[in-house]
Amino acid sequence: MPEPWWKARPQDVYRLEDRISSIYVERCHIDRDDNAIVLVNKARVVHIPAACLAVLLIGPGTRVTHAAVTLLADSATTLCWVGEQGVRLYASGLGAARTSHLQLRQAWLVTRPKERVAVARRMYDLRFPGENTQGLTLQQLRGREGTRIRRLYAHHSQRTGVPWTKREYKPGDAFAAGDDINRLLSAANSALYGICHAVITGVGASPALGFVHTGSALSFVLDIADLYKAEFTIPLAFDLAAGGLTSERDARIALRDTIVSEKLLPRIVADLKHLLSTDSEPLLEQELSGLWDEDGTVVAGGTNWGATDPFAPAAHLDVIPPPPPHEQNGAGTNEEGTPDEPNDPKEAAP
């Protein structure tokens, strides 16, 4: 009997940081041909090796076969069902991780205020390299971040000559409001969210358990994406607008190429592990498949623990126990073996 797909060995798939970052597809048919997924539309047919892809963004008008999803899951490729132009993330499939260790660690950190503040502070430290943030409250750090982003918008506007007034975004319809530069920022950011989401699920963390953001199923995705907007999506959007490339597709393709050239995927993986791990508790890569014990330890799974139960019957006594004494002769008896007294006087009559 073949091994189930979730038993894929680490050597069977490419490491997440070595893969193509993402591919967005819409209005096409997705099928399987051996170890490749096949994208079919009216114009052409494209084959893509499944194990080389980190995330497949599936847009509207797309059909996907069971065989294709099975291959992508076995290849540890994350599937994300998104809205038109990749604006919203509706659902996602299983990532590459085969262990819950990182998610348990994340839940432990996010539910303890002191540890949560420490992780949030490390996130801000990554945004302010070379700056001393010791002693600053989270409110002060948020204020400094807002000031930094406003200065970045003004700087790139002056650098590229693209007019800038303010950030305009309409929740639920990212491209309904704003000028070209705002629409490019929305498109680039949404693609970055999909990539960060794929990495988060790929390493085994939870997209919902955020440290700075909270209350959303994608809170941690927003946390991680914010680490890279100043370096990737903001300058990219201004450069595209200055060059007259104003479509959402231009933003996605340009961001994809930049992520490959700047090796962002391995950087996101390293930053995630830095944020969620400690020197005293290294992250585990292998699947444990253990059983939790009440003293906080983990014992081996797939083991018959009945032999350690002092109250368990002997294994060779495969017999049906005799019925209680009151069921042997049909008469009710008490613990001393004498007949029980009837509760109702009428029951005593012959």
Side-chain angles (χ1 to χ4, degrees), residues 222-234:
L222 301 178
D223 280 356
I224 299 302
D226 280 353
L227 302 178
Y228 312 109
K229 288 180 180 178
E231 184 179 350
F232 289 89
T233 59
I234 293 177

Side-chain angles (χ1 to χ4, degrees), residues 52-175:
C52 296
L53 183 61
V55 55
L56 180 64
L57 303 173
I58 303 176
T62 303
R63 298 177 301 173
V64 57
T65 66
H66 183 276
V69 173
T70 302
L71 173 63
L72 291 166
D74 199 20
S75 303
T77 298
T78 299
L79 297 177
C80 295
W81 282 264
V82 299
E84 191 170 6
Q85 308 295 348
V87 174
R88 301 180 65 184
L89 178 68
Y90 296 112
S92 64
L94 188 67
R98 299 296 183 260
T99 172
S100 64
H101 178 77
L102 189 59
Q103 196 164 133
L104 291 172
R105 171 69 179 170
Q106 182 184 1
W108 186 89
L109 291 169
V110 82
T111 52
R112 286 161 173 77
K114 182 179 178 180
E115 284 75 13
R116 181 171 184 170
V117 169
V119 175
R121 186 177 298 278
R122 288 203 292 272
M123 288 182 174
Y124 282 112
D125 288 340
L126 291 175
R127 303 185 198 185
F128 308 122
E131 298 186 26
N132 184 12
T133 62
Q134 294 299 321
L136 297 180
T137 66
L138 288 182
Q139 183 177 2
Q140 291 172 325
L141 289 170
R142 286 194 297 267
R144 179 177 290 192
E145 169 68 2
T147 301
R148 181 181 75 115
I149 293 298
R150 286 195 299 271
R151 289 176 178 173
L152 277 172
Y153 286 142
H155 166 71
H156 290 296
S157 175
Q158 182 179 8
R159 177 180 63 85
T160 59
V162 176
W164 173 259
T165 53
K166 64 178 181 178
R167 181 75 172 103
E168 295 184 15
Y169 175 80
K170 182 179 178 181
D173 193 356
F175 309 120

Side-chain angles (χ1 to χ4, degrees), residues 86-87 89 169 186 188-198 218 221-222 225-226 229 255:
V87 174
L89 178 68
Y169 175 80
S186 296
N189 287 339
S190 65
L192 181 62
Y193 294 149
I195 293 165
C196 291
H197 187 274
L218 300 176
V221 175
L222 301 178
D226 280 353
K229 288 180 180 178
L255 180 65

Side-chain angles (χ1 to χ4, degrees), residues 197-251:
H197 187 274
V199 176
I200 289 169
T201 57
V203 300
S206 169
L209 300 181
F211 293 87
V212 176
H213 294 84
T214 189
S216 166
L218 300 176
S219 294
F220 196 47
V221 175
L222 301 178
D223 280 356
I224 299 302
D226 280 353
L227 302 178
Y228 312 109
K229 288 180 180 178
E231 184 179 350
F232 289 89
T233 59
I234 293 177
L236 178 68
F238 278 94
D239 289 339
L240 291 174
L245 302 173
T246 58
S247 73
E248 294 80 18
R249 182 175 184 272
D250 293 330

